[in-house]
Amino acid sequence: MIGQIYKIHSDFYYIQNGNQTFECKVREVLKKQDLKIVAGDFVEFDGGVITKILPRKSFIPRPSVANVDQIVVVSTN
């Protein structure tokens, strides 16, 4: 299945797929590839394990967020 990561806590990644939420871990092969998974990434997962990270449309380094469509900047004088 394909879903989007919306929360990361310790080694658990919370993925939203439509109206369902899944708690997953990363496959060891992906950990060894040294890929940084961030909130907003689209991933393929199966049986509570993330198997593949899909390509990103965009990335903001601070805070680390991927696949952002719109940003609102709020400031005061």
Side-chain angles (χ1 to χ4, degrees):
M1 292 195 290
I2 295 176
Q4 186 174 24
I5 296 175
Y6 72 92
K7 180 171 110 174
I8 301 171
H9 188 273
S10 295
D11 283 343
F12 292 99
Y13 296 82
Y14 296 89
I15 301 172
Q16 186 128 21
N17 179 350
N19 292 332
Q20 296 178 329
T21 299
F22 299 91
E23 181 180 75
C24 297
K25 286 196 160 210
V26 177
R27 182 165 286 205
E28 290 296 323
V29 174
L30 292 177
K31 284 184 181 180
K32 291 179 182 176
Q33 291 178 358
D34 205 26
L35 298 172
K36 180 150 173 75
I37 302 173
V38 298
D41 276 337
F42 287 97
V43 295
E44 288 183 11
F45 63 99
D46 186 31
V49 178
I50 296 173
T51 56
K52 184 178 179 183
I53 304 167
L54 301 176
R56 294 177 178 153
K57 294 187 298 185
S58 60
F59 177 72
I60 298 175
R62 190 176 277 173
S64 294
V65 180
N67 299 317
V68 177
D69 292 330
Q70 186 176 29
I71 295 175
V72 177
V73 178
V74 178
S75 82
T76 64
N77 290 333

